[in-house]
Amino acid sequence: MKNLKYFFFASLLVLNIACSSDDDNSTTSIPGNNLSLGKSAHDLLANDIFTEMEIEIVYPEGFAPEANSLIQLKTFLELHTYKTNITFIERQIATPSGAPYTIDEIRTIEADNRTSFNTENTISVFIFFANGDREGMEEGKITLGTAYQNTSMVIFEKTIQNNTQGFGAPDKSSIEITTLTHEFGHLFGLVDIGSEMQNNHLDPDSGGHCNVEGCLMRAQVEFSSGITGMLGNGIPDLGPECIADLQANGGR
Ligand SMILES: [Zn+2]
Ligand SMILES: [Zn+2]
């Protein structure tokens, strides 16, 4: 009788374990695309959960990024992540209305147009090249891009176009590359928004930005006046402190 009781108890245990491992295999174990900024930093950098990255790029007619900008972006991603395969899906969408845009309006445009989401081996990133400026811009502080969610960013392509016209204006592709890689830096958790700082290099006046001279993650890179000043030395790259943070969180 005692043995029978033990057998019954043991079978219940087995049943329980079987049930919970079933749960672990369901889709709920794949991290989602609707988390706050920096939450997917490790998953974007390392290859322990996702080995591949798919980047969905949407733009209204006349606002596509230059091909060279995407080639340079891919080089940057291959340099700092361990992803074995990085692919782009580019698609023209119907021109949205409502510019200048608030980030809430950008979120709605993403909800209406995003078709790529994380799957078993692939982490997905969404980029909207906007046909308008960001709402509420201050004089001299013209925002070129914003990373607003763990795998989402907007590039204000119309703003970039307006600031790269005429004699002596900066090169459009250089501004696109700098803005794209800067916003990816935020998705990678820089500075101190998902990738822990190895040494203190946080700009005390601007959350999420770096205080190292010439670094891609300087706050001024997000604004047209600041970016133009930095491009004199070529397209800025990540400084040593930002690279150390990425390496500590699974990147390189
Ligand atoms: Zn920034
Ligand atoms: Zn830095």
Side-chain angles (χ1 to χ4, degrees), residues 68-70 72-73 76 129 144-146 153-155 157 160 164 170-186 209 214-224 226-238:
N68 176 55
S69 304
L70 300 187
Q72 298 302 320
L73 172 62
F76 173 86
F129 284 80
L144 302 173
T146 305
M153 72 172 73
V154 53
I155 304 296
E157 183 68 14
I160 291 177
T164 52
D171 171 60
K172 177 162 158 278
S173 185
S174 298
I175 301 275
E176 285 179 356
I177 295 160
T178 308
T179 307
L180 282 163
T181 51
H182 177 95
E183 299 312 327
F184 258 97
H186 288 314
H209 291 112
C215 177
L216 174 65
M217 295 315 292
R218 296 278 289 196
Q220 69 203 80
V221 171
E222 229 147 57
F223 307 113
S224 65
I227 216 171
T228 306
M230 283 180 83
L231 283 173
N233 303 316
I235 294 170
D237 205 347
L238 292 172

Side-chain angles (χ1 to χ4, degrees), residues 12-240:
L12 266 183
L13 259 182
V14 169
L15 195 71
N16 232 320
I17 290 163
C19 281
S20 49
S21 79
D22 250 21
D23 286 352
D24 289 345
N25 288 338
S26 72
T27 50
T28 53
S29 63
I30 298 178
N33 298 94
N34 270 312
L35 306 173
S36 56
L37 181 60
K39 285 274 190 250
S40 290
H42 174 82
D43 291 344
L44 287 161
L45 292 165
N47 67 356
D48 49 356
I49 298 178
F50 301 106
T51 54
E52 305 190 2
M53 188 189 299
E54 181 174 88
I55 302 169
E56 181 174 34
I57 290 170
V58 304
Y59 50 84
E61 187 179 2
F63 296 94
E66 294 194 17
N68 176 55
S69 304
L70 300 187
I71 291 167
Q72 298 302 320
L73 172 62
K74 190 173 177 182
T75 302
F76 173 86
L77 297 174
E78 286 169 343
L79 196 62
H80 294 295
T81 79
Y82 282 96
K83 296 293 178 250
T84 55
N85 192 21
I86 297 166
T87 51
F88 295 101
I89 307 173
E90 291 177 70
R91 191 159 37 90
Q92 189 178 311
I93 59 170
T95 303
S97 56
Y101 295 117
T102 64
I103 292 302
D104 272 349
E105 288 169 319
I106 298 290
R107 286 177 195 275
T108 304
I109 292 167
E110 175 179 356
D112 291 345
N113 291 286
R114 183 169 184 161
T115 63
S116 171
F117 301 93
N118 297 348
T119 58
E120 200 175 339
N121 299 317
T122 306
I123 191 161
S124 159
V125 174
F126 175 84
I127 308 176
F128 170 50
F129 284 80
N131 56 318
D133 295 330
R134 179 160 176 176
E135 191 163 288
M137 289 194 302
E138 299 166 44
E139 187 71 33
K141 286 212 157 191
I142 299 174
T143 303
L144 302 173
T146 305
Y148 56 91
Q149 209 160 262
N150 63 325
T151 61
S152 309
M153 72 172 73
V154 53
I155 304 296
F156 292 98
E157 183 68 14
K158 179 156 195 296
T159 317
I160 291 177
Q161 289 179 1
N162 289 345
N163 283 274
T164 52
Q165 282 167 6
F167 182 74
D171 171 60
K172 177 162 158 278
S173 185
S174 298
I175 301 275
E176 285 179 356
I177 295 160
T178 308
T179 307
L180 282 163
T181 51
H182 177 95
E183 299 312 327
F184 258 97
H186 288 314
L187 297 188
F188 290 163
L190 298 172
V191 173
D192 208 27
I193 50 169
S195 285
E196 198 185 331
M197 281 196 292
Q198 302 305 295
N199 300 298
N200 185 15
H201 60 108
L202 186 64
D203 179 348
D205 301 320
S206 178
H209 291 112
C210 179
N211 67 9
V212 173
E213 192 70 37
C215 177
L216 174 65
M217 295 315 292
R218 296 278 289 196
Q220 69 203 80
V221 171
E222 229 147 57
F223 307 113
S224 65
S225 51
I227 216 171
T228 306
M230 283 180 83
L231 283 173
N233 303 316
I235 294 170
D237 205 347
L238 292 172

